[in-house]
Amino acid sequence: GEKKATPIADEDIDPSSDSEGEDDGMISFKENRQSNNKSKFFDNLNGDDSTVETKISESGEMSEMPRRGSSPAEAPGSPSSLDTPRPNPPSPSSSMQDAASQKKIEVVPRPRIPNNPYRKVMKAADKGQHAVRRDSKVSPATSNGPERQSASLPDVPPSYHSGVETLPDIPTANMNELQRLGIEHNMYKPPRFAPGPDPIVHRFDRGNHPPHARRSVPVDQVFSHPVKNMWKSKFRRFNHVQSEMANVLANSEDNVVISAPTGAGKTALFEMAMGRLLSSTGFSNTKKIVYLAPNKALCEERQADWSMRLRDIDSRIVVTTITGDSSKSSSMYADIASSHLILTTPEKLDSITRKWGEVFVLLASIKLVLIDEVHLIGEKERGSTLESLVSRLKSIQRAATARQLTADDLAGSSYKSANAEVVRSNMRTVAVSATLPNLGQLASFLDASEAFVFDQSYRPVPLKIYVQACGFVGSNRFLFDKSLNQHVPSILRKFSSGRPSLVFCHSKKECEILAEELTRSYAGNSSSTPSLLTFSNRTGTPALHRCLRKGIAYHHAGLDAADRRLVEEAFTSGSISCLCATSTLAMGVNLPSHLVIVKGTSCYRGAGIGNVDIDSGTLLQMIGRAGRPGFDSSGTAVIMTDTNSKTRYENLSQGLKVVESYLFEKNRLVE
């Protein structure tokens, strides 16, 4: 029944911090100097091979006591017992009491956290199950020695001592939420693959759906009040693509994959699925909607648009954007819990859901996932993240339906407003994509029984694509890309017809250099209009000010938010004749133009990678910005490339290449 204390090295504990205490409630142990060479603390106190008796209180405080039967002069720690005399040694009792009044040593149990993801949270830890705390304050010394303050450790302490990294604020009560609900891994692990029926792929083209036979359905025929108010500021009738998908999206809970050209109104397809879910819940936030965008810029654009339009349905609807700017997990979880619609990127949601067992009930409340540009799953750099995220969301839903959860089970969970029936319900996935040759395989991966493909004839504005060869690359790719600037003015004069044009560059510096050159070679003789003077005077960036006075501008992530909004406003109003932008604008802010020029088909990715060709999905997004609905009868896109690559980009209109999985190398989505 004797309790043993763990030896603690002398560098962790100052011998002067020990104090004498009473015998009541003390546990003693004996330790021989020669039996353990690690006990240097006790060796330094003893001048000989005598046995030291140390007493530890039940509260964890240690005190040094002389061996029974020894005289006070032989007590360890006295000046006469030290091997090497020290100059002006202080009195043993006074030095020990002074040190005890300043420091306090606590021996507290180290908390055990299952599957602890945090590292280096304690700097002073012994080899046993105890950790030393030095920073606790001690009450003033009394005649019986300093009194130890009681300390209660939480399950997951926010910090252990000063100078130690603080753990993120996460719900401590839900560290084992899956285990608390009795959901084991074998209940939600992926089922063994078994070949099933292939998804049905519906194709819409000029042959089976000629333009004169296509229908346009009124909004109020599909949705009633107040959901129909979502489109009252946009249109009164759905276009041809939206009309074909209205019955599937508004009157069923099926997973759907849709392939349609840029500008065909794919955003409204997401809105139709959102309208069905919101109306089914009475506009409560018990069922969450997640929108996955390729980049942060598109999230911000959707946030501004949907926040305003969803307010026309119900003022209580909350739209939240969670991107890389968010830092604390607790704040992100709180935002998800209070929101109806969450806008994020695949990388951010992948980070949030890595430890989904801690907030299982909250993440199981996600019942509609909207994936924009799902063909990015075939990208080498980002595809594996999106693929693993979709697989994880499916596992969460399998776990949610593994057993019949009740209201008592959900009491005290990570989501206080959770409804047991909602948690057990199925999750719906709606994904849109560019044209893919293996869209059926992608639909099978997303558990969709149907896929819908619309050809280029469904674009509201027909698109003409030209590929211009600008010579051979030669031995220096950088010089070739730089030489492309001299061809841009002639292309603008040939195809723009005096209407707004958009030139995509592949770096921020390229945008600024080209814009400066165009002010001299393309708009050098043009005079500043009053509107251009107004816009140019609103910016504090000298380079942008000079360009705006000539009707030229540039747009990239290096500009501050105010300047980006200024450029977007000037381009939308028609004041700017040419805008130089990075590819972020292609998937972000919706700024269609009559002419789109892609300046070069390769970009520099760093010294370790070099120049790589831009992916076909991004290129399709760029040229898809050509053609302004309501302003142009057709749009024009010009791709500038080298002579050897001309044929490859001329066949771009046939669609993207086969999408394959990059989560495992050379592994197809469905074999």
Side-chain angles (χ1 to χ4, degrees):
E2 184 178 76
K3 297 184 180 179
K4 295 184 178 181
T6 305
I8 302 176
D10 58 338
E11 60 266 23
D12 291 335
I13 300 180
D14 186 358
S16 64
S17 63
D18 288 340
S19 59
E20 297 181 356
E22 298 292 338
D23 290 343
D24 297 337
M26 309 291 273
I27 304 171
S28 65
F29 74 98
K30 293 186 177 183
E31 182 175 357
N32 192 285
R33 165 186 172 183
Q34 297 178 350
S35 63
N36 192 340
N37 55 8
K38 295 183 180 180
S39 304
K40 297 180 181 180
F41 163 60
F42 299 105
D43 297 344
N44 291 337
L45 293 182
N46 295 334
D48 51 10
D49 295 340
S50 61
T51 302
V52 180
E53 185 170 6
T54 305
K55 296 193 174 183
I56 304 177
S57 67
E58 290 292 343
S59 61
E61 184 178 356
M62 298 192 305
S63 63
E64 169 196 358
M65 298 189 65
R67 183 183 54 180
R68 286 184 176 87
S70 61
S71 61
E74 299 175 354
S78 62
S80 61
S81 65
L82 299 176
D83 294 334
T84 305
R86 301 178 182 177
N88 300 325
S91 158
S93 59
S94 62
S95 64
M96 296 173 69
Q97 289 180 0
D98 292 341
S101 63
Q102 298 175 1
K103 288 187 177 181
K104 178 183 178 180
I105 300 175
E106 301 177 19
V107 181
V108 295
R110 179 189 301 165
R112 288 185 173 274
I113 305 174
N115 301 323
N116 184 11
Y118 310 107
R119 299 292 186 266
K120 299 180 181 179
V121 293
M122 289 187 289
K123 294 182 178 179
D126 59 0
K127 296 181 180 180
Q129 302 301 323
H130 297 77
V132 179
R133 296 181 64 177
R134 291 174 174 266
D135 63 332
S136 302
K137 296 183 180 180
V138 184
S139 58
T142 61
S143 59
N144 295 330
E147 294 182 358
R148 184 180 188 274
Q149 287 184 339
S150 61
S152 60
L153 288 176
D155 295 335
V156 182
S159 63
Y160 291 88
H161 57 77
S162 57
V164 175
E165 165 183 352
T166 302
L167 297 179
D169 296 330
I170 60 177
T172 59
N174 303 314
M175 295 300 293
N176 297 316
E177 194 161 80
L178 277 177
Q179 290 80 355
R180 185 178 63 82
L181 295 174
I183 301 175
E184 303 296 336
H185 177 264
N186 59 356
M187 296 182 180
Y188 59 85
K189 66 180 181 180
R192 184 179 297 274
F193 173 75
D198 294 333
I200 301 174
V201 180
H202 304 274
R203 300 188 182 277
F204 298 82
D205 51 36
R206 289 182 179 273
N208 54 24
H209 290 79
H212 68 273
R214 296 172 185 174
R215 55 178 181 164
S216 180
V217 179
V219 173
D220 55 9
Q221 186 176 328
V222 181
F223 291 97
S224 59
H225 183 81
V227 177
K228 67 178 183 180
N229 293 338
M230 189 189 309
W231 299 280
K232 70 178 184 179
S233 60
K234 294 287 186 178
F235 48 78
R236 299 295 181 183
R237 303 177 73 92
F238 291 118
N239 66 15
H240 299 318
V241 174
Q242 298 156 3
S243 299
E244 294 292 345
M245 298 303 305
N247 185 50
V248 176
L249 294 173
N251 299 320
S252 75
E253 295 289 343
D254 298 338
N255 294 344
V256 183
V257 179
I258 306 159
S259 173
T262 303
K266 290 179 287 188
T267 301
L269 302 179
F270 289 146
E271 295 168 356
M272 295 165 76
M274 291 163 47
R276 173 176 173 80
L277 183 137
L278 291 173
S279 60
S280 66
T281 60
F283 308 105
S284 69
N285 61 358
T286 54
K287 287 186 177 182
K288 309 294 181 184
I289 305 172
V290 169
Y291 169 76
L292 296 176
N295 51 50
K296 176 184 172 183
L298 188 52
C299 289
E300 294 176 347
E301 181 196 3
R302 293 291 94 221
Q303 164 83 24
D305 183 34
W306 282 338
S307 296
M308 178 181 61
R309 291 168 55 201
L310 289 175
R311 197 176 300 118
D312 295 334
I313 300 178
D314 194 299
S315 59
R316 298 169 298 175
I317 296 178
V318 179
V319 182
T320 301
T321 298
I322 301 178
T323 58
D325 296 337
S326 304
S327 57
K328 291 186 177 181
S329 299
S330 60
S331 61
M332 289 186 292
Y333 293 144
D335 290 340
I336 295 174
S338 61
S339 303
H340 297 71
L341 174 60
I342 300 100
L343 315 177
T344 185
T345 60
E347 288 77 12
K348 191 60 181 179
L349 189 60
D350 174 70
S351 174
I352 294 173
T353 58
R354 285 292 179 93
K355 305 177 185 66
W356 60 272
E358 301 173 4
V359 285
F360 161 68
V361 175
L362 176 62
L363 297 179
S365 300
I366 298 175
K367 294 306 175 183
L368 177 58
V369 179
L370 309 173
I371 308 177
D372 205 351
E373 310 300 339
V374 71
H375 59 267
L376 296 179
I377 202 171
E379 282 193 4
K380 187 174 183 179
E381 293 80 11
R382 306 178 62 191
S384 57
T385 301
L386 179 56
E387 185 178 353
S388 61
L389 173 61
V390 172
S391 301
R392 189 177 303 121
L393 291 175
K394 288 158 60 173
S395 295
I396 294 174
Q397 295 306 312
R398 282 194 299 269
T401 57
R403 60 181 298 265
Q404 293 292 326
L405 298 175
T406 64
D408 294 337
D409 294 330
L410 301 181
S413 66
S414 55
Y415 184 36
K416 306 301 182 184
S417 303
N419 182 286
E421 184 178 353
V422 169
V423 172
R424 293 195 305 266
S425 61
N426 294 326
M427 178 186 73
R428 187 186 193 187
T429 302
V430 177
V432 299
S433 168
T435 304
L436 295 174
N438 62 333
L439 189 68
Q441 290 182 330
L442 185 59
S444 179
F445 171 68
L446 296 174
D447 295 333
S449 59
E450 292 181 297
F452 300 83
V453 180
F454 297 87
D455 70 353
Q456 292 294 324
S457 65
Y458 278 86
R459 276 185 59 94
V461 179
L463 177 65
K464 299 177 182 178
I465 303 176
Y466 299 91
V467 180
Q468 178 165 331
C470 301
F472 295 92
V473 175
S475 59
N476 194 321
R477 184 82 199 194
F478 172 76
L479 292 179
F480 172 78
D481 292 339
K482 187 176 180 180
S483 68
L484 295 178
N485 288 355
Q486 64 186 0
H487 299 281
V488 174
S490 60
I491 296 175
L492 288 172
R493 295 187 183 97
K494 182 178 180 180
F495 294 102
S496 68
S497 303
R499 286 174 281 188
S501 303
L502 186 60
V503 182
F504 283 109
C505 306
H506 304 303
S507 71
K508 294 180 286 188
K509 187 175 181 180
E510 283 185 30
C511 290
E512 298 180 9
I513 292 176
L514 180 59
E516 290 278 3
E517 292 184 5
L518 290 177
T519 58
R520 298 185 295 269
S521 60
Y522 179 66
N525 297 325
S526 61
S527 58
S528 299
T529 62
S531 61
L532 288 177
L533 293 175
T534 302
F535 284 122
S536 61
N537 292 332
R538 288 170 54 186
T539 179
T541 306
L544 183 59
H545 174 81
R546 293 193 300 268
C547 292
L548 283 172
R549 291 179 65 90
K550 294 292 185 178
I552 309 294
Y554 57 86
H555 185 288
H556 55 66
L559 291 175
D560 57 47
D563 283 344
R564 288 200 302 269
R565 288 193 295 268
L566 172 65
V567 171
E568 293 164 11
E569 181 183 350
F571 187 77
T572 304
S573 65
S575 301
I576 296 177
S577 60
C578 182
L579 174 63
C580 304
T582 56
S583 59
T584 303
L585 191 65
M587 295 184 180
V589 182
N590 185 18
L591 294 178
S593 63
H594 173 72
L595 171 65
V596 168
I597 301 175
V598 180
K599 191 182 76 70
T601 54
S602 70
C603 55
Y604 186 69
R605 294 298 188 187
I609 301 177
N611 284 82
V612 297
D613 292 337
I614 60 177
D615 61 275
S616 301
T618 302
L619 189 57
L620 286 176
Q621 288 292 324
M622 292 177 181
I623 64 178
R625 296 297 183 188
R628 300 172 299 169
F631 295 93
D632 299 325
S633 58
S634 65
T636 305
V638 179
I639 302 174
M640 303 173 62
T641 186
D642 60 280
T643 303
N644 294 333
S645 303
K646 180 179 179 180
T647 303
R648 176 157 60 99
Y649 290 105
E650 284 177 341
N651 298 327
L652 183 66
S653 60
Q654 298 177 2
L656 302 177
K657 63 180 182 179
V658 173
V659 172
E660 296 183 347
S661 169
Y662 280 99
L663 188 59
F664 297 101
E665 190 176 2
K666 297 181 180 180
N667 179 35
R668 290 288 183 90
L669 289 174
V670 178
E671 291 290 351

